[in-house]
Amino acid sequence: MKTTNSSAKQKLLTPGTVVTGKWNRQHYSIVRKLGEGITGAVYLAHSTERKVAIKFGNDQMSIAQEVNVLKELSKVQDTCLGPYLYEVDDYVEAGSKSIVPFYVMEYIQGVDFLRFMEGKGSEWLSVVVLQLLDQLQGLHDRGWIFGDIKPENIIVTKNATSVRLLDVGGTTKKDRAIKEYTELYDRGYWLGESRKAEVSYDLFSVAILMIHCAYPQQLRKQPGKPLAQLKKMIESSEQLKPFKKSMIGALHGHYIQAGDMKQDLLRTQYQTEPSSTLDRHSNTRMSRAKKQKKRHGYTELFLLMTFVGLLITLYLVLQML
Ligand SMILES: Nc1ncnc2c1ncn2[C@@H]1O[C@H](COP(=O)(O)OP(=O)(O)OP(=O)(O)O)[C@@H](O)[C@H]1O
């Protein structure tokens, strides 16, 4: 569900069409359509230098709003929050003479969150979510709330396995009302709580996103107590169990910063299950077989810790790239 008003749709641009900007006179050769939303359509195109993504808007107002957000995010030199903005112009459609506003941005190549996660377990979920939380922290630090968190807006890039946010249409200044949201990830839909643009709004959606990953086909709100339903889904999933504490914290709106959720995620994963199993065993007299099993458990725990250590190192290295 979106809160923006739509207006007239533009004509489909066929591959090979050359779009020339009315003001800057730059040429772009259309390759294919990437997608279409309520505020316009996005195409892959070639400029003289590189592949780009071009958003053709249905109206000036929504395009101007998105350009403002992209300009703000492009000011940050050291991090890539959202696609880089190259230029803004108008296109005069051949024949109809109607003017279509557009902006040209970095083409982010990769797969969306759910497709990337297909067949992958907790380790990868953690790598992706930790990066997503970093991106959100960067955005929040600059006074923005992303708002429309959903799998299609989270791209895992092919070359560096890094996470990028797409579609800044829903990005809203803190403390205002969320501009755009998708029902399944919306706190208002699940809990009937406010759609105020605040950190906890985005983090709630991150928790839902993680649940969606574990239940790609079955995530639907059931009548009754939605919070209890979501908690049960977390507890019943082997993939989500390691993240239980941070996810429930996010559902309850306990985190003031995305970085706090990240810290909890790093701290709690893989801690609960192995240690509680071992504690139970230490209270009983163990047979030799049990002792062997326990030794095996320690080895598994050691290997698991080493693996997690490697993942964290990989994550830190990716951060530095
Ligand atoms: N910079 C980009 N690089 C690669 N693909 C992109 C880029 N921007 C958008 N896309 C693709 O185009 C699709 C449509 O983008 P758009 O911004 O219109 O999102 P939407 O949520 O579908 O629309 P809206 O916000 O207008 O309702 C996206 O889902 C994505 O697949």
Side-chain angles (χ1 to χ4, degrees):
M1 185 172 291
K2 307 270 179 169
T3 55
T4 342
N5 291 321
S6 67
S7 54
K9 282 191 171 187
Q10 329 110 31
K11 280 186 209 150
L12 178 77
L13 294 170
T14 49
T17 306
V18 175
V19 169
T20 303
K22 185 178 175 197
W23 308 107
N24 299 337
R25 309 307 300 168
Q26 294 290 325
H27 306 294
Y28 299 98
S29 172
I30 298 295
V31 178
R32 68 185 159 88
K33 192 172 183 173
L34 291 169
E36 183 161 13
I38 210 148
T39 59
V42 180
Y43 287 83
L44 171 64
H46 277 297
S47 72
T48 42
E49 290 135 37
R50 52 174 86 85
K51 278 182 187 171
V52 292
I54 308 183
K55 176 138 185 183
F56 295 91
N58 293 333
D59 63 77
Q60 289 281 0
M61 179 71 105
S62 53
I63 282 291
Q65 278 177 354
E66 291 180 18
V67 164
N68 279 343
V69 177
L70 285 174
K71 273 187 185 158
E72 285 257 350
L73 301 185
S74 299
K75 277 184 203 158
V76 188
Q77 295 300 315
D78 53 336
T79 39
C80 303
L81 302 169
Y84 191 80
L85 177 71
Y86 294 127
E87 73 150 350
V88 187
D89 210 330
D90 290 327
Y91 167 56
V92 184
E93 270 181 317
S96 78
K97 296 266 185 286
S98 62
I99 294 175
V100 182
F102 71 85
Y103 62 84
V104 184
M105 62 185 146
E106 174 192 359
Y107 170 55
I108 297 179
Q109 202 169 5
V111 288
D112 81 40
F113 172 77
L114 281 186
R115 263 187 59 206
F116 177 81
M117 282 306 302
E118 271 168 21
K120 295 189 175 74
S122 307
E123 300 81 8
W124 276 109
L125 183 60
S126 140
V127 168
V128 174
V129 171
L130 289 174
Q131 290 197 53
L132 172 61
L133 291 172
D134 277 342
Q135 294 271 312
L136 290 175
Q137 178 75 55
L139 203 65
H140 299 160
D141 285 346
R142 282 157 195 93
W144 297 92
I145 299 299
F146 190 74
D148 197 12
I149 289 181
K150 59 178 175 182
E152 301 89 303
N153 287 345
I154 297 158
I155 300 294
V156 184
T157 62
K158 274 183 187 151
N159 39 7
T161 321
S162 66
V163 174
R164 302 288 304 275
L165 292 169
L166 278 189
D167 186 11
V168 295
T171 307
T172 310
K173 274 271 177 214
K174 264 186 196 165
D175 296 330
R176 301 207 181 140
I178 290 288
K179 263 196 287 184
E180 241 180 66
Y181 57 87
T182 301
E183 203 169 60
L184 197 59
Y185 304 90
D186 169 45
R187 185 171 69 178
Y189 165 74
W190 281 98
L191 307 184
E193 286 182 16
S194 87
R195 293 196 177 101
K196 186 175 163 190
E198 53 193 2
V199 170
S200 56
Y201 184 90
D202 273 351
L203 299 185
F204 179 90
S205 306
V206 171
I208 298 287
L209 193 77
M210 295 170 79
I211 297 174
H212 198 177
C213 177
Y215 300 89
Q217 312 296 335
Q218 302 113 291
L219 180 59
R220 253 166 240 103
K221 185 177 159 189
Q222 286 157 12
K225 295 179 176 160
L227 203 52
Q229 179 202 335
L230 294 170
K231 284 183 189 170
K232 196 168 166 217
M233 290 179 100
I234 296 171
E235 276 154 11
S236 321
S237 158
E238 284 305 317
Q239 192 180 19
L240 300 180
K241 261 186 199 165
F243 315 119
K244 183 178 154 188
K245 184 175 176 240
S246 44
M247 290 178 71
I248 291 180
L251 292 177
H252 280 284
H254 286 167
Y255 295 113
I256 296 167
Q257 296 193 70
D260 296 340
M261 182 174 176
K262 178 183 162 184
Q263 287 310 318
D264 261 357
L265 233 140
L266 279 168
R267 218 175 289 136
T268 55
Q269 58 181 335
Y270 304 110
Q271 268 176 9
T272 29
E273 278 309 304
S275 60
S276 60
T277 312
L278 295 176
D279 287 345
R280 271 201 306 277
H281 281 292
S282 66
N283 291 334
T284 55
R285 218 172 140 236
M286 284 180 284
S287 66
R288 183 175 297 199
K290 271 187 182 167
K291 278 182 185 164
Q292 271 174 356
K293 210 172 161 187
K294 185 174 173 181
R295 265 201 297 276
H296 186 62
Y298 278 132
T299 316
E300 274 184 353
L301 181 62
F302 174 75
L303 288 173
L304 203 57
M305 298 296 278
T306 314
F307 183 59
V308 174
L310 280 172
L311 273 180
I312 292 169
T313 314
L314 173 69
Y315 167 73
L316 291 172
V317 170
L318 284 174
Q319 287 295 95
M320 288 188 290
L321 288 179

